[in-house]
Amino acid sequence: MFDLIFSYLLIVIILFSANIGLFLGDFRLNNKKSSLISILIGIIFFIVVYISSFLRLNILDFLTYIFIVVSIIIFGILLVYLNLDKKLKIVTFSIIILYYANSFLIASQLKEHLFNGLLLTIISIIMMIIAFQSSKLLIYAKRPYNIIIGEFMSLYGILIFIFGLTNVSVMNLDYKMFSSFLILTPTYQLIYVVIGIIVLLIIGLYWNDKK
């Protein structure tokens, strides 16, 4: 059960961190500023999840609703981002707050021996930096940069919505027969496909640029 919760948390961290990194790319920051901001966000994230490790909030019965509400908020933020370009700071701040809140709630369900806030923080910072560096090429794509980010947000918004729809069934499975990793294997495969598409897109843009 707790392995499953940790898997949820890890996926949320990867997706939200990548989204934040892409938003930072929209600010046209240099490497130093973006890295400093990523580290600052990571430090605050560490504090948030560290505090949550001392709490024992019993929200497993409400996890379905939490995932669904989070996915709806993501799509709401996406609509604001696509329609109001001048609201970039508000949109980025909203995603960061949602990231902290979602991570806080999920992390509060973990046992201490399964929780490693420092490792998760490092993963978060690395994902933000990778996404920011990728944005340097994505900005020069034929498609508008905000549309590319919008597609990414739509994809992981749908994924989190699926978490909400399937959470009750997954929680009620017999874990003696299935491991949490096997349960979430389709999810991991979907993430691998998304990462593969992004890598191919970056390589294609780089090759196009050289030509």
Side-chain angles (χ1 to χ4, degrees), residues 139-173:
I139 286 175
Y140 296 104
K142 290 183 178 179
R143 306 187 71 180
Y145 184 68
N146 62 340
I147 298 299
I148 295 174
I149 295 181
E151 290 173 347
F152 175 76
M153 291 182 68
S154 297
L155 186 61
Y156 87 83
I158 292 171
L159 182 60
I160 292 177
F161 185 77
I162 292 173
F163 282 169
L165 292 181
T166 60
N167 180 66
V168 174
S169 300
V170 171
M171 289 291 184
N172 291 329
L173 286 174

Side-chain angles (χ1 to χ4, degrees), residues 26-60:
D26 210 359
F27 284 98
R28 307 297 196 275
L29 301 172
N30 56 39
N31 290 334
K32 184 178 180 179
K33 286 184 178 180
S34 67
S35 297
L36 288 175
I37 293 174
S38 298
I39 292 172
L40 177 60
I41 293 173
I43 291 172
I44 298 174
F45 167 79
F46 177 81
I47 295 172
V48 168
V49 294
Y50 183 75
I51 293 173
S52 73
S53 66
F54 291 101
L55 302 177
R56 285 296 173 265
L57 302 175
N58 187 10
I59 60 169
L60 290 178

